[in-house]
Every structure is written in C-alpha cells, then in structure tokens.
Amino acid sequence: MFDDGVMAVSLADITTLSRLAESVLPVPEPFVDLLPSGGLVRGAMLATAGPVAQSLAMALVGPLTQMGSWCAVVGLEELGLLAASELGVELGRVLVVDEADPTRWPATVDALLDAVEVVLVRAPSQLSAATASRLVARARGRGSVLMQVGSSGSLWPQSPDFTISARSLAWDGIGFGHGHLRARHVEVEVVGRRVGGPARHGSIWLPGPDGAISRR
Amino acid sequence: MGDVRVRTLVVRCPDWSVYAAQPGPSDPLVVVRANRVVACSMAARSAGVEVGLRRREAQRRCPEVKVVGYDPGRDLRAFERVAACLDEITPGVEITSPGMLSFGTRGPSRYFGGDEPLGEKVLDAVRTALDGRWPAYVGIADGFFSALRASHQAQVDAREAMVVPVGCSDEFLASHPTSSLLEVLDVADLVDVWVRLGLSNLGLVSQLSTGDISARFGPTGLAAHRVARGFDLRPLDLQIPEEDLSVSMEFEDPLDRVDRGVFAAKALAEQLNSRLSELGVGCTRVQVYARTQGGEELSRQWRHEGTLSDVALAQRVRWQLDGWLSPSSGARSVSPAPSSGLVCLSLTPLEVQPDSGRQLGFWGGESRIDERVSRAIVRLQSQLGTQAVRLVQIRGARDPAQRVHQSPAEPDGRLGDSCPVDAPWPGQVPSPAPAVVFEEPLRVLVLDEAGREVGVSGRGELSAAPAVIERPGCARRALIGWAGPWLAQERWWDNQSQRRRVRFQVIDDRNEAMLLCVEGGLWWLEAAYQ
C-alpha cells in the first residue's frame, strides 16, 4: 500500500526533480559564491534590484547564452543591448518581445517560459495572485528561470526566491573633465528565502578595467 | 553560358503600404516597421520625411503625420485586386511582394501586338483596378531585374511605362547605381563593400570577371554579380519539376480565419521543403491553390530570387490567405471574397533549382534555433504581430540606440547580414556601453557652481564645469565627475536630417553614471549606466 502511494506521485515528480537536479544554469564566476546553489537554479524566480539592476540581469544571463541557451526579454524596451553584448551576452540567443498590453502579458511570458531558459520581465501592472502563481508554476514545471528586472517587486504578490541588488561604489577612469568611464566597482547583496541565512555580500567589478566581470 | 534572359514585364506600385493603409486622400502618413519608416506618402515626403528615418524623427519633421504599423497582410489584401485584374491578360502573374508583380511577356506580347501595346493594356487594367488613385509603373526588359529598373526609370522620367528594346538591357543597366541590387537581393554589406571599392554602378560591377568575384566574395558575390549583369538568378539551373511535387492539406472544419491558417501555412511549407530537399532542390516559384467549401478555386503564383526557405514560403502562403480571406473593406473587389471557408490548400512548386544550401548571412552565417524556440516565435508573432518578436544585431553607429539593430525574428532564427562592430566610428563614446538607453531622451538641466545653465560651443567646449544635474521628477544631484565632449555630426550632407550633437558622461554623487547629449543648446539624458 505504501509502495502504491509512492508510485502514484513519483512519475511526474521524478521528471521534474531530475530536470532540476541536472541543472543550475551557469553565471559569471564572481557571482558563484553569492548565489544559492552557485547559479541560476532552473525553475526559480529571482529579481534584480537597485540602481545597477539592468547590468546585473544582463551579466547573469551572459554565460548561459554563450553555451547556446536562449534568453527572452519582454517589454524592457530601454535595456541597452549593446551593454548586454559587452557584459558577455551572446545576442544571437536573445529574443526581444514587445510588451503586450497587460491582458496579454501573462500569456506572452507563459509561452516564453515554455520555450527559453531565462525570461527577463518587468510586470506592466499589478498581477493577480492567480496569474503570478501560474507563471511561477510554469517556470518550475519547465525548468526555466523567471527574472524580474528592476524594482517592480511590489507588483508581484509573492516574493522571489532571492533578490540580487547592487549599488555603485565608484567609477574608474573618469575625472573632472577628462578620461572616460572605464570600470565600475559595485557592492552586491543577495537576500531571500532561498539564501538560507543572512544576506550575502560581495564586491565586484561590473565591468572591470579590461571589460570583464571580476572579483574585486 | 547558355543563360537566357526571359523577357519580363514588371508592374510596380511605389509605396504600396501607404496606399494599403489609406487608399485615397493624401494626408501625411508613414508606415513604420521596427520603429523605422518603411514607406511614406507624398504629403509626408514633401514635409521632409523619408524612408529609413526613426519614427520619432519623422514625427519631428512632420508633426501632423499619421503613423501606421507595417502589415504585409493588409498590403497583400489590397494588392490581390491588382494581381487579379491581370488574370485576363496572362495566366502567369507572379507576385514578388505586395506592390510588385511580374510575368513573362512572350505570349501576351505576341497576342497584343508587341511590348508597347501590352504595356498600355496592363496599365489600363491596373489604373482601373486602382481607380486611378495610385500610380503604377510598368517596365519591360530582358530579365526581371532589368524590367524592375525600367519601371524605376519610368518613374524618374515621369512616364508610366518604359520598354527597353530586346538586347539592350546591358547598356541600360550599366548606369544604374550598385545599391539598386538591394531591390532584389539582401546583400547590404556586399553592396557597401563594392561601393567603397569604387564600384558605384552596375556597369563597373559587371566588368569584373566571374572568377575574381567568386574568389573574393563567394556565392553571395556571384549571385549579385549575375543580377548586376541582368541575368535572372532563377534560370541558372532552372528545372520544371517532372513529377508532381505538390503538397496539400484538407480541412474538415473549413478554414475561415487567417490566424488558423498560420499553422497550416507553416506545416505545408515545411512539408514541401522537406520533400524538395530530399531531391536536393529548392523552390523559386510556387503556386498557392485553395478550394472553398462552395467549390470555388483560387490560385496565385509567387516568385523569389533564390530558393524559398520554409519561413519565406510560409510567409507567402500566410499573406496569400490574408489576401483571400480578408479582402480589403469597401474595395471594389475584382475577385470576390470566397463565399465560404477553405477546405483544401495546396502548394505546387512550379520551378525548382539545385539547392546549394540556404542563403547564408554574408558575415555571420546561419544560426539555427531549437524547435521549441521556433514554435514560440511563430505563436507569439501570430498573436502580437511579426514586429513584436525580434532578434538583435549590433552594427557600427555613434548613437547607442542606433548601434543595436533589431529585426523581426524568423522562426528558424536566421539573422540577416550583420556589420562587424569593431570598425572605429569617429565620435563614438568608448565602452562600457550604458545598460539603459531611453527610447525618448529626457530633457535635463545641467548647471554650473553658480546655478547657471552650462552652455556648449560648436566645438564642444563648455562655458563652465558642470556641477549639478536636474532631472524632471528627481531631486537635484551634485556631479562628482564628467568627461567629454564626443562630437557627432551626422548626415552633414543632408540639410533636412543633419544633426550635430555633443555627448558627455557624468557621474552624480551616488556614483550613478549617465550619458548626456547636447543638441541645439539643450541637454538631454540619453542613457544611464544602470
């Protein structure tokens, strides 16, 4: 009887679990120690926040696009894709989708979660609890990652698995009337229920003087 | 080489998208695709709007302009009437794109007593179909490309038709600019290279030897070279398929809406192409045929320079379904809309040629998308529109917004040509690039220590060191660093669109960096390093 019960739940769960176990999507090396599980866990919802939110989001998806995985960007019209390329994103693996009107937005994101590894979004309006949990469930079911970019957290009824935020500490290379922006030193903070403990902090170059993302 | 040039007649209706969007009155109107003007009405043009401008720039030059999104379905719906009116003259009408069609003149010319009378006859029919409300130009010459150029020449000469005598197409083509190749081939980078090498017209291009072209520019170069010499790409190895290769699909539940047809179009296109690729050939001319529940038969031919990929094929079937199933409203219809839904749809390849692989991007090559991604693209494009789902390329330009080029995603993930990025572009702000580029720059105030607005001279010299920035809706922030100027004078050769801009980087007291631009004495926030 006990065995029967286990059998009944296992098939679907095993598929999901094995997919999850197999894959933590890679992130740039300086982020490995900061993120729970050392990367982007398939099926997770995370958020980037703070004044460097866009750079963080683009930096995080770089390595996976280089490995041939796809990333979709929904309705973040202002995202500087040139910067994405410089931060290591393989643009040939990026799908840019217009922000549909709020009624179509959930279906759009849903379809993309089904197709690509990571979907970068910013909620266009307050999401209902049902819509939000359907999207989260879709990501979990498909093993894709839902990443909120910038501070739209209040529009989501549930909090993300973790939030990664950063603030800019200093820019290198620029003076008062000379030079140009070259490297940025940021302080990264990761908080959330998946972090399992106090917030994690790290200090990185985003980007460094050589254009790469590195530990400081 | 045994190349023949098929005597061809081309009918071209310029700016067709404008007519399709607004048949009739000549208000200023632009058709916009991916934020750029792809067609504009005469009224808009006389206000200084031109094809290729950004939407914002077009609205700046002509504030009352009406902006309409690009919709190939709408264009074809309107064009179907033009194509149908020629069915009495010849059964061989082939649509190249909405606004342009062609057919071989051999039979019809003989019937109507020569090329000139045939041209007149065609113009009469087209004028009637358009109620004389839109211009149409006819070109007749040896080969499709020459005929197309002849139709342009007719427009330039303010005539309606131009006939290039038999055997004179070489001389005729020689004086045309190299860039006219872009009307039939997607070879922007190649043309760019040729023009920079001094090959400014087709005469110069055609003098190069085939061997040299092949060695330096590969198959793409060869194809363009052929076209420049007035040969059609198609008849190269043209075969009329001997066996019946057509594929068809029956619908139990009659097809009455275009969105349902999208899937059928894609499936049929894939089916046809996989059949053809087994035989090692690709299709250059295809007939789309449909039968309605009431037994009506509809058919239309499409042609293409080079073989049609799955996507290109599916697209044409989709446009054609759009033309049949949703005839333009209020139009005096030449071919009445089918009275009932479609029960059968079939594709018949009319001409095939050995397939040397699909056309590859000139610099990059072809990247394939996973089936999953491809399905999502098709699905989202059918819901949100083709323009709403895009792939990205980077190209050289000074303006951070212009350096990223987005084009509608083809479900097979193929990108068009892309420009190498590392070319030094004078006036370009050094990397890193800003992570946020505002669609519309924000007006800001930049003040010096004394609270006066900082002025910029023509050479980019500041009247005083910037000390404070004021953004609408934000608190004033002190500036702790700045750099620049980067001067950009764009399109200085054109009085209408020339822009002189000076850029500066600034950092505020929270270490947040911004890219500012000064134009016409005003400061704008263009981008932020967020």
Side-chain angles (χ1 to χ4, degrees), chain B residues 8-285:
Chain B
T8 305
L9 182 148
V10 166
V11 177
R12 192 176 53 84
C13 302
D15 292 318
W16 184 255
S17 309
V18 174
Y19 172 80
Q22 171 195 287
S26 48
D27 298 334
L29 179 137
V30 291
V31 179
V32 172
R33 174 178 191 174
N35 220 11
R36 283 189 189 267
V37 174
V38 291
C40 54
S41 68
M42 285 306 288
R45 191 165 289 142
S46 54
V49 176
E50 56 195 64
V51 170
L53 287 185
R54 290 184 68 118
R55 176 174 53 90
R56 193 170 76 212
E57 180 63 20
Q59 284 168 324
R60 191 182 66 84
R61 290 189 196 176
C62 181
E64 68 279 13
V65 75
K66 187 177 167 199
V67 178
V68 177
Y70 172 71
D71 176 0
R74 180 183 61 215
D75 295 354
L76 187 79
R77 280 199 294 283
F79 198 59
E80 179 58 29
R81 289 166 60 208
V82 179
C85 81
L86 296 177
D87 282 343
E88 293 166 23
I89 296 177
T90 171
V93 172
E94 299 164 5
I95 300 179
T96 309
S97 60
M100 195 199 302
L101 59 80
S102 66
F103 57 85
T105 64
R106 210 171 61 140
S109 262
R110 204 178 295 153
Y111 184 80
F112 290 106
D115 288 341
E116 275 89 1
L118 173 66
E120 271 310 307
K121 184 89 187 152
V122 167
L123 274 173
D124 276 347
V126 172
R127 263 186 232 124
T128 315
L130 295 175
D131 279 341
R133 285 183 307 178
W134 203 255
Y137 300 96
V138 165
I140 303 180
D142 302 340
F144 173 78
F145 182 56
S146 305
L148 174 61
R149 290 312 304 166
S151 76
H152 279 277
Q153 194 61 46
Q155 185 175 5
V156 171
D157 299 348
R159 289 186 292 165
E160 283 185 291
M162 170 162 190
V163 178
V164 180
V166 176
C168 298
S169 292
D170 288 344
E171 291 160 49
F172 169 72
L173 275 185
S175 62
H176 289 253
T178 306
S179 57
S180 53
L181 288 172
L182 297 176
E183 289 159 17
V184 292
L185 292 172
D186 192 13
V187 289
D189 293 300
L190 182 69
V191 166
D192 191 39
V193 170
W194 281 357
V195 170
R196 277 187 280 145
L197 290 173
L199 302 171
S200 56
N201 65 41
L202 298 175
L204 295 168
V205 171
S206 62
Q207 280 167 21
L208 298 177
S209 85
T210 314
D212 287 346
I213 292 279
S214 174
R216 287 170 180 74
F217 302 104
T220 316
L222 271 184
H225 189 230
R226 271 188 68 81
V227 172
R229 288 180 302 146
F231 292 108
D232 287 351
L233 277 181
R234 296 184 302 139
L236 183 57
D237 305 293
L238 194 66
Q239 301 161 8
I240 311 287
E242 287 166 18
E243 47 182 318
D244 180 14
L245 293 172
S246 56
V247 293
S248 61
M249 201 179 259
E250 308 270 339
F251 306 103
E252 278 181 21
D253 180 16
L255 194 68
D256 50 2
R257 288 199 335 263
V258 180
D259 52 349
R260 281 188 51 213
V262 170
F263 294 94
K266 184 162 181 283
L268 270 181
E270 281 172 2
Q271 204 184 335
L272 178 63
N273 262 359
S274 72
R275 235 170 129 172
L276 292 176
S277 66
E278 278 171 26
L279 301 169
V281 294
C283 166
T284 54
R285 192 152 74 87

Side-chain angles (χ1 to χ4, degrees), chain A residues 55 78 80 86 96 169 177 184, chain B residues 390 433 435 437 482 511 529-530:
Chain A
S55 295
E78 79 289 1
E86 289 175 359
V96 180
L169 289 183
R184 171 172 51 186
Chain B
R390 297 179 301 274
V437 180
W482 62 276
N511 280 303
Y529 297 80
Q530 288 186 338

Side-chain angles (χ1 to χ4, degrees), chain B residues 253-378:
Chain B
D253 180 16
L255 194 68
D256 50 2
R257 288 199 335 263
V258 180
D259 52 349
R260 281 188 51 213
V262 170
F263 294 94
K266 184 162 181 283
L268 270 181
E270 281 172 2
Q271 204 184 335
L272 178 63
N273 262 359
S274 72
R275 235 170 129 172
L276 292 176
S277 66
E278 278 171 26
L279 301 169
V281 294
C283 166
T284 54
R285 192 152 74 87
V286 68
Q287 181 183 49
V288 185
Y289 164 92
R291 198 174 64 243
T292 67
Q293 209 172 9
E296 294 158 281
E297 299 197 327
L298 307 163
S299 99
R300 180 65 62 211
Q301 295 173 19
W302 284 83
R303 63 167 276 155
H304 191 249
E305 294 294 335
T307 56
L308 286 156
S309 66
D310 296 3
V311 183
L313 202 50
Q315 201 171 41
R316 279 155 185 78
V317 178
R318 197 166 72 205
W319 292 349
Q320 190 60 59
L321 287 176
D322 213 347
W324 285 331
L325 294 175
S326 29
S328 43
S329 53
R332 202 169 43 79
S333 214
V334 178
S335 62
S339 50
S340 49
L342 308 180
V343 291
C344 173
L345 184 64
S346 82
L347 299 182
T348 309
L350 298 175
E351 283 169 3
V352 295
Q353 67 179 26
D355 192 0
S356 50
R358 281 184 293 174
Q359 298 138 325
L360 303 177
F362 188 56
W363 304 103
E366 193 171 10
S367 72
R368 300 272 337 207
I369 298 196
D370 305 355
E371 189 52 36
R372 245 167 2 123
V373 179
S374 165
R375 276 202 304 269
I377 292 176
V378 173

